[in-house]
Structure formats: C-alpha cells, structure tokens
Amino acid sequence: MRIDTKLPKVGTTIFTVMSVLAAEHGAVNLGQGFPDFEVPVPLREALARAMAEGKNQYAHMAGVPPLRKAIADKTLRCYGHRPDPETEITVTSGASEAIFDAIAAVVRPGEEVIVLDPCYDCYEPAIDLAGGRAVHVPLDSQTFAVDWAAVRAAVTSKTRLFMFNTPHNPSGAMFDANDIGELKRFVADFPHVLLLSDEVYEHIVFDGRIHESVLRYPELAARAFVISSFGKTYHCTGWKVGYCVAPAALTVEFRKVHQYNTFCTFAPAQWAFAEMIERHPEHYDELGAFYQAKRDRFAAQLATTKLKALPVPGGYFQLVDYSAVSDLDDRAFCRWLTIEKGVTAIPLSPFYETPPTGQRLARLCFAKNEATLDAAIERLAKL
C-alpha cells in the first residue's frame, strides 16, 4: 500500500535513534534528556496513597481541581500572577501534548508559525499536522541569542503564532529583561500574533538568574499559551504530566482539542502532584541549586577532556564543541562517539531547518547520577 504521508520530513526521532544505538553498544547514554535518579520520596508516597484510595478512574477533563488550584497558587507565588483554576489551567499528558493542542487549537491551514532554530523536534510536525507552515528564524550560532530584527522581519499577515522556549533546549540560553522588552514591543506591533512559551525547564536556572516567565507580564500573558512539565521539575519524565496556562478565551479552544486528544491525564499522579506542590515548595525552590551543582561538577570534568563546554544558564543540557576531536559532521560524530568511545550524545542538526555551516556541537545531558557522569568522563578523557 502506498501512503501519501502527512509528515514527509519526519522519521524516527533522533532521541530514539541514539538511545537504541547506545543500548546496542553498551554506551553511557547522555543523549536522551531523562534523569537516572529517583523521583522524590514524598511524591512517590503520594502516588501510592492516591492509588490505594481508589483515585484510578478518569480524571476531570481539565485536571483534578486540587491540582489546578495548586498550580494557580504556585504560579502566583513564583510569578505574581494567579490564573483562574477553572478557566485558565489545563492539565495534559505531558508538555508535548500541550504544545500539540495549542497549535491545533489556533493554527489554520495556510497560516504561519515562527519558531527559533534550534528548536525542539515536536514543534514543526504539530504545525504541519495543523496545515500550517513553520517559519524558521535562526538564533545566534554562538550565543543562541534571539535576533529580534529577524523575528520581526519574519512576520506576515499569515503569521498566527510565535513559539519560543526559555530556558532553551538544547542550548540552555535564557530570555533576559531585554528579550522581554523586545517581546512586549512585538505584541504591541503585531496584535494578530499569539504566543506559545515553552517553559518546561522553568525551575532549572543557575547563577542567580531569574526565569523570565511570560506569566510575569500581563500584556504577554494575555496573548499566550504557557506550557510547563512536572516531569522535568520532579524527575519523572515517564509519568508524562504537564499543563498549559492560557487566558480563558484561548483555554476554551485549547480544551476543545485536549478533550478529543487524550481527554484526561493519569489521575493518581495528578492527586500526587497537588499534594507535592502544596506541601513541598522547597523542591522547586531548590531545584536550580541541585542542578547547578551537577552542571559545575560536570563542566569541571569536561575541562580535563578535549571537549569544550559552552556556558549553560539554565536547563539540564551541556553543549560541547568537539572541533578539537573531529571534523565529522555532528550526526556522524555522535554515531562514532557512541560506537567507538562508548558515550552517547545528541547532534544539534536535527533541531534546525538549516544547520549552521561547520558547526561542531553536540548535546550532553547532566541530569544523571554522579556514577553515570563519572563513567562517561572516564571514556571521554580518552578522546
């Protein structure tokens, strides 16, 4: 049977490809972005308790009320804005579902969505499935800063949505006050464009930096889908629970897609997250310090190798320049590194429409136990 595919540019995701290769060759997998340490004990206990109490059937479509209330209270505590739990918060099956739902809710065939390259690989397929077209605007190839003049130049009458990610995957770059100022001018000048702010690494920020959430700024929050992930914050990526905060009018459209996509999300986990957020705010308060210690230790170890570590303001990925090791392109280098040296990284080129010529960067994940990182460094030291 010959199928006229709706996603002609999509194959198996690079994360799956590299993880399979890592398993085949017994490599230390620093590619796929998941922690290899345990979920917090209070959260695990809350999950078990929720299941034991029979909270195992369909949840409310928008999310169980205690969780939506906890998210609203947490958002107020962190960003000074309390969204309405009834009309402005929706719990989803991971941030990826929330991204898909938001795009499907507002992007119509023929409309355009601005994305910043390198960008996470689920963005463009969701745009394609909505019948839209992704317009790729490159970030600075060295600093991953936004070229705001280029963003503005990319806007047309067909532009429906502007998507961005801070802290940024894969680079760790973050929006600062200047970026927020540019974004405020952007929404004032282009009132027909909505925003999608992917903030899944919101609590993993370093060196005293402040996460510039869109939710801090009323004129931005009024036009935005803001998406977050419990998996990233609570070390449980396999639970696949995230959420979207959006103004009521956008949430109405968002929920129309959500209710026919997943309808609802893993119920016992929702009750557990509600309890965890309310009883243990110190977890997300201290998450940046927790990961900064890992970042600093890993960067110091990398300094003993031929890989050059780039600055990491936020998130749990470390970009390395491997130009002192190899002239291979990034895909070939990451295959070679996995097969021949026993460490798996992720190439950057799959995050781009057009990768920068001669870029020699790979992404390593430091959300790992010290033993895992030590084993990787032992192998990388032999490059």
Side-chain angles (χ1 to χ4, degrees), residues 142 144 298-312 317-326 333 360-364 377 380 383:
Q142 301 299 314
F144 298 93
F298 190 48
Q301 290 177 310
L302 285 169
T304 68
T305 76
K306 293 181 179 179
L307 300 175
K308 179 184 176 182
L310 274 62
V312 183
F317 299 112
Q318 174 68 66
L319 291 188
V320 292
D321 184 326
Y322 64 84
S323 55
V325 177
S326 174
F333 174 76
R360 298 290 181 263
L361 298 178
R363 191 195 81 173
L364 300 170
I377 290 294
L380 293 174
L383 291 173

Side-chain angles (χ1 to χ4, degrees), residues 41 147 209 231 298 317 324 369:
V41 171
D147 182 341
R209 293 282 296 266
F298 190 48
F317 299 112
N369 281 307

Side-chain angles (χ1 to χ4, degrees), residues 15 95-96 99-100 103 119-127 163 198:
F15 308 107
S96 296
I99 289 167
F100 180 92
I103 292 168
C119 66
Y120 192 60
D121 67 347
C122 80
Y123 291 3
E124 188 164 9
I127 296 165
M163 297 178 63
D198 176 354

Side-chain angles (χ1 to χ4, degrees), residues 236-282:
C236 53
T237 59
W239 293 17
K240 291 296 290 181
V241 184
Y243 61 92
C244 176
V245 176
L250 291 181
T251 295
V252 167
E253 301 307 310
F254 181 93
R255 289 179 180 176
K256 288 178 183 179
V257 179
H258 167 68
Q259 71 178 342
Y260 291 115
N261 185 2
T262 61
F263 178 71
C264 66
T265 295
F266 181 34
Q270 293 194 50
W271 291 95
F273 285 128
E275 181 177 314
M276 185 73 185
I277 292 169
E278 294 205 332
R279 296 186 183 180
H280 298 282
E282 73 280 358

Side-chain angles (χ1 to χ4, degrees), residues 65 73 89 100 105 159 179 196 231 238 246 300 314 335 361 363 369:
D73 293 343
I89 297 172
F100 180 92
T159 306
D179 293 303
L196 192 158
R335 284 188 59 84
L361 298 178
R363 191 195 81 173
N369 281 307

Side-chain angles (χ1 to χ4, degrees), residues 7-239:
L7 295 171
K9 293 186 286 184
V10 172
T12 302
T13 173
I14 189 64
F15 308 107
T16 299
V17 169
M18 296 310 299
S19 288
V20 169
L21 196 67
E24 288 176 353
H25 295 275
V28 179
N29 188 355
L30 302 188
Q32 197 163 1
F34 59 84
D36 69 348
F37 40 84
E38 284 300 321
V39 173
V41 171
L43 181 60
R44 285 158 38 200
E45 292 176 344
L47 177 68
R49 190 160 51 249
M51 290 189 290
E53 291 172 355
K55 296 170 179 172
N56 301 301
Q57 307 309 320
Y58 293 128
H60 187 287
M61 182 269 286
V64 300
L67 179 55
R68 282 183 281 133
K69 178 184 180 299
I71 292 168
D73 293 343
K74 172 179 173 288
T75 303
L76 176 63
R77 183 173 184 265
C78 292
Y79 306 127
H81 168 68
R82 190 179 192 276
D84 187 323
E86 294 300 317
T87 63
E88 298 183 322
I89 297 172
T90 309
V91 179
T92 60
S93 295
S96 296
E97 190 223 325
I99 289 167
F100 180 92
D101 292 350
I103 292 168
V106 299
V107 176
R108 297 171 176 83
E111 293 184 328
E112 297 171 347
V113 180
I114 297 172
V115 299
L116 301 175
D117 276 6
C119 66
Y120 192 60
D121 67 347
C122 80
Y123 291 3
E124 188 164 9
I127 296 165
D128 291 343
L129 288 170
R133 182 174 77 89
V135 177
H136 295 261
V137 175
L139 298 171
D140 184 278
S141 62
Q142 301 299 314
T143 65
F144 298 93
V146 180
D147 182 341
W148 286 101
V151 171
R152 297 174 74 90
V155 178
T156 72
S157 61
K158 295 181 179 180
T159 306
R160 180 63 167 165
L161 191 63
F162 173 32
M163 297 178 63
F164 46 88
N165 170 212
T166 181
H168 179 247
N169 177 14
S171 73
M174 294 174 59
F175 276 17
D176 59 17
N178 178 68
D179 293 303
I180 293 299
E182 293 284 358
L183 193 56
K184 288 180 179 180
R185 287 186 282 276
F186 179 91
V187 299
D189 292 342
F190 303 108
H192 67 291
V193 181
L194 299 171
L195 307 177
L196 192 158
S197 185
D198 176 354
E199 302 184 13
V200 298
Y201 301 100
E202 61 182 319
H203 297 299
I204 309 176
V205 298
F206 310 132
D207 306 317
R209 293 282 296 266
I210 294 173
H211 169 56
E212 291 285 11
S213 174
V214 162
L215 295 170
R216 294 184 186 275
Y217 305 97
E219 63 268 58
L220 302 181
R223 296 262 291 280
F225 299 99
V226 180
I227 291 167
S228 194
S229 166
F230 292 121
K232 301 298 190 297
T233 299
Y234 293 102
H235 320 318
C236 53
T237 59
W239 293 17

